[in-house]
Amino acid sequence: FYLTPSQVNSILKANEYSFKVPEFDGKNVSSVLGFDSNQLPANAPIEDRRSAATCLQTRGMLLGVFDGHAGCACAQAVSERLFYYIAVSLLPHETLLEIENAVENGRALLPILQWHKHPNDYFSKEASKLYFNSLRTYWQELIDLNTGETTDVREALINAFKRLDNDISLEAQVGDPNSFLNYLVLRVAFSGSTACVAHVDGVDLHIANTGDSRAMLGVQEEDGSWSAVNLSYDHNAQNENEVERVKMEHPKSEEKSLVKQDRLLGLLMPFRAFGDVKFKWSIELQKRVVESGPDQLNDNEYTKFIPPNYHTPPYLTAEPEVIHHRLRPQDKFLVLATDGLWETMHRQDVARIVGEYLTGVHHQQPIAVGGYKVTLGQMHGLLTERRARISSVFEDQNAATHLIRHAVGNNEFGTVDHERLSKMLSLPEELARMYRDDITIIVVQFNSHVIGSYQNEE
């Protein structure tokens, strides 16, 4: 099935979103210029989610990508709730008191976040009251725990991740008299989601990662070339430290059954995730909740199934690994993306493609044909394609879209092949998932001048 270039573009651009940070009287005080984001579904409905927001009561910007599994319910809940938990964790004691007093007396609340959302990024309106009550309980506890010390960003991120996961689990155990809500909280808890979140404040960049989505920094070297710096580690079987951590948390007798075929208990790819209560609750609790839950849950084979060799839960945590990086003028952009991107592209290529796109400069490398015997005719074709590629940069107004075009359409020579792109984008829903995963990307562009002036002040 052949798609024309304009059909390809309309599919690629359907979910793109861009945000430019407004300048204040010509002086841009943010270290972020703006960001581009986009999603390309492979699952129907898509199981990935994305979020971006500016913190209004503290400084800084939050951006994140969330990769759901066993459905999209958990990724959806985390994408709309996690940033509130982080923002509340960062608030000073006085502000928390102000917010609590406003709720107590029925006054309007201070807005905590300004969301930057695509029209397709929806909120579950039905659950908003429940979600708000859980969040309020959290800030009430923070008020009671007041130590008088200012909160460390790293600590705030870890606490927010763990607390939200705990609330997801608790809401499912308590249930809800409203049958729709009851089924929703159970679907959220029994599905799962990874999360990779960035908090940018001045030159301080914190990445909190749970699972196997990734954060990568694009750095421009002195000679103008691009390099990639990893700012997260995948929590899966390829990460030896992670395998070690899981083994340390369980008895020696389980050593052989913990990780099988590169999966946790032979089933789950990520070793850290939100939700997934099947890997966290005791067998008794799972049975009790499923039996007393709505019929849809009881009829669902997945929720009834207990993982093999399930002896000492929890096997899974949502606790993130947090990496702090001080931004430098040569750090030009940050890419946050779900594993759908990293399965198809090496981070070095990602850095180069985004870097060249943002600067509009192509370092014309000699064409690499990687050991292939190439005829003159083929070489001519490659050179013509290169010329077309330069013009294709201008058809994408969004760096994330440009990256997805390469991730899906690249051929063995590293150039976008329209025929391949057309084939991959016209696969029917039931086949698409066999060839690729959902892809969600956020590209954050930094303001080198502002970052440079921070450094000079020091």
Side-chain angles (χ1 to χ4, degrees):
F1 185 63
Y2 191 78
L3 300 174
T4 65
S6 67
Q7 287 171 317
V8 163
N9 280 347
S10 68
I11 294 172
L12 288 179
K13 294 173 186 232
N15 298 310
E16 68 179 13
Y17 178 82
S18 290
F19 175 74
K20 295 279 168 275
V21 173
E23 290 197 17
F24 304 105
D25 13 297
K27 291 197 276 294
N28 191 332
V29 295
S30 173
S31 54
V32 174
L33 281 170
F35 70 86
D36 289 341
S37 77
N38 201 350
Q39 293 189 296
L40 183 68
N43 291 296
I46 185 168
E47 294 184 346
D48 280 5
R49 293 292 184 272
R50 57 180 164 179
S51 292
T54 301
C55 301
L56 295 172
Q57 304 304 326
T58 53
R59 296 180 357 189
M61 197 167 188
L62 285 164
L63 306 110
V65 295
F66 312 93
D67 187 350
H69 44 265
C72 59
C74 188
Q76 175 60 39
V78 175
S79 74
E80 57 184 279
R81 299 179 72 181
L82 181 58
F83 287 8
Y84 281 114
Y85 280 70
I86 295 171
V88 162
S89 309
L90 288 166
L91 289 177
H93 185 66
E94 300 70 52
T95 315
L96 287 172
L97 282 174
E98 256 177 79
I99 291 174
E100 177 55 27
N101 287 336
V103 178
E104 192 77 11
N105 301 309
R107 289 198 315 274
L109 276 186
L110 287 172
I112 297 176
L113 294 172
Q114 178 195 352
W115 290 92
H116 310 298
K117 281 194 144 349
H118 187 280
N120 298 356
D121 304 339
Y122 60 91
F123 275 105
S124 356
K125 292 187 181 60
E126 303 80 9
S128 58
K129 193 170 181 339
L130 169 77
Y131 290 172
F132 178 79
N133 290 338
S134 293
L135 182 68
R136 184 182 178 190
T137 306
Y138 178 41
W139 81 53
Q140 287 171 335
E141 284 176 30
L142 289 174
I143 289 171
D144 295 342
L145 285 170
N146 174 35
T147 55
E149 291 169 24
T150 52
T151 321
D152 170 62
V153 177
R154 184 175 181 281
E155 215 173 301
L157 288 163
I158 292 172
N159 293 343
F161 273 62
K162 284 163 73 172
R163 177 57 181 238
L164 173 57
D165 192 52
N166 198 42
D167 283 354
I168 286 172
S169 170
L170 213 56
E171 288 157 2
Q173 289 171 52
V174 172
D176 196 281
N178 170 333
S179 61
F180 173 82
L181 264 184
N182 195 29
Y183 186 46
L184 176 80
V185 295
L186 289 163
R187 271 183 36 226
V188 169
F190 277 90
S191 58
S193 178
T194 69
C196 187
V197 170
H199 179 266
V200 195
D201 178 7
V203 288
D204 290 304
L205 169 62
H206 286 84
I207 301 290
N209 182 49
T210 287
D212 53 9
S213 292
R214 281 186 205 166
M216 182 216 91
L217 200 60
V219 180
Q220 191 163 30
E221 304 298 345
E222 284 183 3
D223 65 356
S225 65
W226 295 94
S227 63
V229 175
N230 260 359
L231 288 181
S232 67
Y233 299 103
D234 293 355
H235 300 132
N236 57 23
Q238 272 62 59
N239 180 339
E240 285 172 19
N241 295 342
E242 198 58 12
V243 174
E244 233 12 75
R245 177 189 66 79
V246 172
K247 285 182 178 169
M248 293 284 289
E249 290 172 5
H250 299 275
K252 198 116 179 78
S253 55
E254 291 185 60
E255 199 162 352
K256 288 196 164 58
S257 58
L258 279 172
V259 180
K260 280 189 150 167
Q261 285 147 341
D262 281 353
R263 291 168 180 255
L264 191 63
L265 298 182
L267 296 167
L268 198 63
M269 290 284 274
F271 283 18
R272 302 190 195 197
F274 281 91
D276 283 321
V277 292
K278 296 177 63 54
F279 295 85
K280 292 172 181 171
W281 290 354
S282 68
I283 293 177
E284 300 74 52
L285 178 58
Q286 291 191 40
K287 284 187 170 150
R288 184 170 65 76
V289 171
V290 171
E291 278 161 18
S292 62
D295 296 342
Q296 301 110 300
L297 194 73
N298 220 338
D299 301 340
N300 183 333
E301 288 309 312
Y302 172 76
T303 45
K304 281 168 128 167
F305 160 81
I306 303 286
N309 304 302
Y310 198 79
H311 308 297
T312 53
Y315 288 91
L316 191 64
T317 177
E319 180 168 335
E321 193 170 3
V322 179
I323 289 180
H324 172 247
H325 175 83
R326 281 185 69 79
L327 290 169
R328 310 156 301 172
Q330 63 266 40
D331 300 331
K332 301 298 182 188
F333 60 88
L334 170 74
V335 177
L336 299 171
T338 54
D339 64 349
L341 173 71
W342 310 110
E343 281 166 8
T344 59
M345 289 186 85
H346 190 272
R347 61 176 182 269
Q348 204 45 56
D349 295 326
V350 170
R352 181 183 54 78
I353 288 165
V354 176
E356 290 181 353
Y357 169 82
L358 291 175
T359 53
V361 176
H362 287 262
H363 279 269
Q364 293 290 30
Q365 252 88 33
I367 283 193
V369 289
Y372 294 93
K373 284 196 163 60
V374 180
T375 65
L376 264 176
Q378 286 169 319
M379 187 50 105
H380 176 71
L382 285 172
L383 288 165
T384 318
E385 233 169 83
R386 170 189 273 187
R387 202 159 70 222
R389 186 167 84 227
I390 293 173
S391 63
S392 89
V393 169
F394 301 110
E395 71 189 355
D396 292 325
Q397 262 78 61
N398 179 302
T401 307
H402 191 64
L403 204 42
I404 290 176
R405 188 184 296 277
H406 277 269
V408 179
N410 267 4
N411 60 17
E412 64 271 34
F413 301 120
T415 60
V416 176
D417 177 342
H418 178 75
E419 200 172 320
R420 181 182 162 82
L421 199 52
S422 166
K423 274 184 192 157
M424 291 293 277
L425 293 180
S426 61
L427 287 170
E429 276 171 6
E430 61 280 6
L431 274 181
R433 189 63 194 87
M434 294 164 68
Y435 287 91
R436 57 180 179 80
D437 197 355
D438 295 330
I439 299 176
T440 298
I441 300 172
I442 300 177
V443 179
V444 186
Q445 206 178 341
F446 296 121
N447 189 331
S448 306
H449 299 300
V450 170
I451 292 167
S453 63
Y454 268 104
Q455 282 194 331
N456 299 337
E457 281 167 25
E458 288 172 11

